[in-house]
Amino acid sequence: MGVNSNRVEDFSSHRINTESVMPGMEIHTVCLSPKKTTLQKLKQRLSEIFFPDDPLYRFKNQTWRKKLLLGLQFLFPIFQWAPEYRLKLLRSDIISGLTIASLAIPQGISYAKLANLPPIVGLYSSFVPPLIYAILGSSSHLGVGPVSIASLIMGSMLSETVSPRDEPIRYLKLAFTATFFAGLFQASLGLLRLGFVIDFLSKATLVGFMSGAAVIVSLQQLKGLLGISHFTSKMQFIPVMSSVFKHRDEASGIINDWEKWSWQTIVMGFSFLVFMLTTRHISMKRAKLFWVSAAAPLTSVILSTLLVFCLRSKTHNISFIGHLPKGLNPPSANMLYFSGPDLELAIKTGIVTGILALTEGISVGRTFAALKNYQVDGNKEMMAIGFMNMAGSCSSCFVTTGSFSRSAVNYNAGAQTAVSNIVMATAVLVTLLFLMPLFYYTPNVILGAIIISAVIGLIDYQAAYCLWKVDKLDFLACLCSFFGVLFISVPLGLGIAVGVSVFKILLHVTRPNSLIMGNIKGTQIYHSLSRYKEASRVPSFLILAIESPIYFANSTYLQERVLRWIREEDEWIKANDGSPLKCIILDMTAVTAIDTSGIDLLCELRKMLEKRSLKARLSPNESHLALVLTNPVGSVTEKLHQSKMLDSFGLNGIYLAVGEAVADISALWKSQPDFPEDCNETGQCRETKR
């Protein structure tokens, strides 16, 4: 084969080789990409990584006034929808805002308790952050506030080092500092457009993590449901269950009254828990009755508070919240740590809670945006959630994000814009200013029941079963996350699951799929022989497809795998008395990138096939083998060209499609006379008669 001088051409000479090899078949020239400097390539690559949506396209060819307006709308989405807001939308937003407020008030108190924080902090966190999100957020339906997962993580990570009971002020300062760093991390991801970082939390990881967290959170609430005053602060399955059964024997007389199970608490707690789970089941069966489950937490709080107030002389074993301070959020900027031994714990807690909060908030926002056919900007959401947490940390709030339960209620109540968050914050403000004394007799057991009813929906066994059916490695990551959270710790369980997911990625990168292809009779279509029964081998050709980039991490494996394909094909030919193997075609359609190790792989393969060609004259069992590439993408073709590797390929060494390669090479073979193979003095051989 001669030098490949006309098979690969520059884009500027974009032409087609119309040399016919069979009726209706044209052999097309493989073109290089347009020439670009290294700086241009780097700029394009960085643009694709960090700006895939081209956020500045609206500013092109606009006047400076229009650009100023577009800039305000880009930074503050409220300027985008506020000018078009109409009074007819206000009624829907008021109804939805008041509806989620009825859910936000008991949830805020409960989730603050879950994070081992004073209940009032939960209400503070339902006032300031929603107002900030209404200005900066791009979702019309996201309900903002504390969520169970972030509350659980913060409570478990901080309480492992600092006791909220023994050092409440220090614990509160750590919580606010962790919230600040969570917001700083979230806003930084948005500003630097590094949102792909949270993609390492795969769906399988989150399914297992949330299920494990839901189980451990529910078990922790047994303290309130059983009326146990002293309970373990650990978040593992064995310590929690040991603490539960340590205090089960009320009649033994060995333990103090405050360590016993309280039958009054048990009856009240499980009664209201059954009530909330029943309403949740009804709302899931009938979407129009969403308000039933939305109103259940507030209804439970009101009824249980009235019950304890009326029977307070007979229910002394039922603990209640007690005094809650009235008034607006007090400033807490002076409580933030920026130095000292606790700073590392605060930063670590903030990053972990920040990642989980972002994952939930963005996924929830995109879910409801898809239902209404509009788009949520992930980077804007990261900045909005980040800034509201940074502001919240300075106004006595802990980590907040988009809540699935609040967003679902908000959507079903008919919310039209982010005004529903403003209405909710206003309702919480009224509660903070005037209604706080009403929660004095609210029993703690009801807060535990609300938490259980909220987190039990996170146990998604159907998703786990689907993972088992579809992808066993994903299911393994799910199990590692689930049992890691239950038996080790929440952050380590999450870390193990992320490690399994990363291992899965490495496995796919280092051991990519390759397959042998055949022709579907009567067409120019080539597909997997194992997948399509109608596909058949092409005599004298071995057509292989590589379904991944070729990197240093997989080049050795691919070399061994291709040689094995050749050996297996030879064995098949001998067993079935087929035509001798003459050509190896590598379909490069799915090879999206290649590095120098990958180029070396192709060189090594070509050299090995040349050695086989030299042996062909000595052994009748060996045949001449040519290596042909088909359909390499632009970047791969460019690197092959720059490395001068294409010069070593003969004419007919690279093609645009497998069908063209088979047709052209077959025609070339037919046009050559049969003669014995001979080698010249340089060791180059020509094809001979077999």
Side-chain angles (χ1 to χ4, degrees), residues 4 9 86 114 188 210 214 257 266 285 336 377 593 636 688:
N4 185 5
E9 297 184 355
R86 300 292 179 266
L114 182 59
S188 300
M210 290 192 294
D257 287 340
I266 293 174
K285 292 294 183 182
L336 300 180
D377 189 323
V636 173
T688 65

Side-chain angles (χ1 to χ4, degrees), residues 22 25 518-527 534-536 538 658-660 662:
M22 58 185 304
M25 171 65 71
N519 175 247
I520 297 179
K521 189 175 181 180
T523 71
Q524 288 296 319
I525 299 173
Y526 290 80
H527 268 300
E534 58 269 32
S536 59
V538 180
V658 174
E660 293 184 3
V662 172

Side-chain angles (χ1 to χ4, degrees), residues 394-407:
C394 299
S395 55
S396 300
C397 303
F398 71 110
V399 174
T400 55
T401 186
S403 165
F404 181 80
S405 57
R406 295 190 196 194
S407 302

Side-chain angles (χ1 to χ4, degrees), residues 411-449:
Y411 175 83
N412 288 318
Q416 300 296 320
T417 65
V419 170
S420 59
N421 274 305
I422 299 176
V423 174
M424 179 192 72
T426 304
V428 173
L429 172 63
V430 172
T431 303
L432 287 169
L433 292 177
F434 306 108
L435 305 180
M436 295 313 297
L438 299 180
F439 294 97
Y440 185 90
Y441 286 102
T442 299
N444 287 312
V445 64
I446 291 303
L447 303 182

Side-chain angles (χ1 to χ4, degrees), residues 194-215:
L194 297 174
F196 59 84
V197 171
I198 64 175
D199 293 337
F200 281 95
L201 289 178
S202 64
K203 178 184 176 182
T205 299
L206 290 176
V207 167
F209 172 76
M210 290 192 294
S211 298
V215 171

Side-chain angles (χ1 to χ4, degrees), residues 289-479:
L289 298 178
F290 71 92
W291 56 269
V292 175
S293 63
L298 186 60
T299 303
S300 300
V301 168
I302 295 173
L303 292 178
S304 62
T305 302
L306 290 174
L307 190 61
V308 171
F309 175 76
C310 295
L311 302 176
R312 59 186 180 278
S313 61
K314 298 181 180 180
T315 58
H316 60 276
N317 287 334
I318 299 178
S319 64
F320 45 84
I321 292 177
H323 174 71
L324 292 175
K326 293 194 298 183
L328 294 176
N329 299 33
S332 58
N334 61 332
M335 300 179 72
L336 300 180
Y337 283 115
F338 292 105
S339 62
D342 292 331
L343 182 61
E344 181 181 352
L345 174 62
I347 293 176
K348 182 172 66 174
T349 304
I351 291 176
V352 173
T353 54
I355 290 176
L356 290 172
L358 270 186
T359 302
E360 179 170 354
I362 293 177
S363 61
V364 170
R366 286 174 174 170
T367 298
F368 290 101
L371 295 175
K372 284 293 185 178
N373 198 28
Y374 69 92
Q375 190 172 5
V376 167
D377 189 323
N379 289 292
K380 286 184 183 178
E381 290 296 286
M382 284 185 254
M383 288 188 285
I385 295 173
F387 285 128
M388 79 181 186
N389 278 318
M390 292 173 68
S393 68
C394 299
S395 55
S396 300
C397 303
F398 71 110
V399 174
T400 55
T401 186
S403 165
F404 181 80
S405 57
R406 295 190 196 194
S407 302
V409 170
N410 197 29
Y411 175 83
N412 288 318
Q416 300 296 320
T417 65
V419 170
S420 59
N421 274 305
I422 299 176
V423 174
M424 179 192 72
T426 304
V428 173
L429 172 63
V430 172
T431 303
L432 287 169
L433 292 177
F434 306 108
L435 305 180
M436 295 313 297
L438 299 180
F439 294 97
Y440 185 90
Y441 286 102
T442 299
N444 287 312
V445 64
I446 291 303
L447 303 182
I450 291 173
I451 291 173
I452 292 176
S453 65
V455 302
I456 201 169
L458 299 177
I459 304 175
D460 196 348
Y461 61 90
Q462 292 180 335
Y465 178 68
C466 183
L467 291 173
W468 166 256
K469 290 179 63 178
V470 175
D471 193 317
K472 300 300 188 290
L473 275 177
D474 273 350
F475 182 73
L476 177 62
C478 177
L479 283 185

Side-chain angles (χ1 to χ4, degrees), residues 437-615:
L438 299 180
F439 294 97
Y440 185 90
Y441 286 102
T442 299
N444 287 312
V445 64
I446 291 303
L447 303 182
I450 291 173
I451 291 173
I452 292 176
S453 65
V455 302
I456 201 169
L458 299 177
I459 304 175
D460 196 348
Y461 61 90
Q462 292 180 335
Y465 178 68
C466 183
L467 291 173
W468 166 256
K469 290 179 63 178
V470 175
D471 193 317
K472 300 300 188 290
L473 275 177
D474 273 350
F475 182 73
L476 177 62
C478 177
L479 283 185
C480 289
S481 182
F482 179 77
F483 288 112
V485 169
L486 277 185
F487 294 102
I488 304 176
S489 70
V490 172
L492 281 179
L494 184 61
I496 291 172
V498 171
V500 173
S501 298
V502 172
F503 171 75
K504 177 186 174 183
I505 295 173
L506 293 176
L507 191 63
H508 284 302
V509 170
T510 59
R511 294 296 183 267
N513 188 40
S514 60
L515 53 92
I516 182 170
M517 302 171 68
N519 175 247
I520 297 179
K521 189 175 181 180
T523 71
Q524 288 296 319
I525 299 173
Y526 290 80
H527 268 300
S528 170
L529 287 175
S530 60
R531 183 179 172 190
Y532 292 90
K533 294 182 179 179
E534 58 269 32
S536 59
R537 282 177 164 83
V538 180
S540 301
F541 287 91
L542 174 60
I543 306 170
L544 301 176
I546 299 175
E547 298 182 334
S548 84
I550 305 178
Y551 292 130
F552 65 93
N554 60 24
S555 59
T556 302
Y557 166 79
L558 285 174
Q559 177 178 315
E560 294 172 351
R561 192 66 187 91
V562 169
L563 293 176
R564 177 182 165 188
W565 278 120
I566 295 173
R567 185 179 71 250
E568 291 176 349
E569 185 69 8
D570 282 334
E571 293 173 355
W572 185 90
I573 290 172
K574 291 177 183 178
N576 294 272
D577 196 22
S579 300
L581 189 58
K582 295 182 180 180
C583 183
I584 311 297
I585 296 178
L586 291 184
D587 184 4
M588 308 275 284
T589 303
V591 180
T592 55
I594 193 170
D595 65 0
T596 53
S597 297
I599 295 173
D600 289 341
L601 158 69
L602 297 179
C603 291
E604 286 297 320
L605 280 177
R606 182 174 167 276
K607 289 178 182 178
M608 290 179 180
L609 297 181
E610 284 181 351
K611 290 180 180 179
R612 173 167 172 156
S613 298
L614 290 172
K615 291 170 60 180

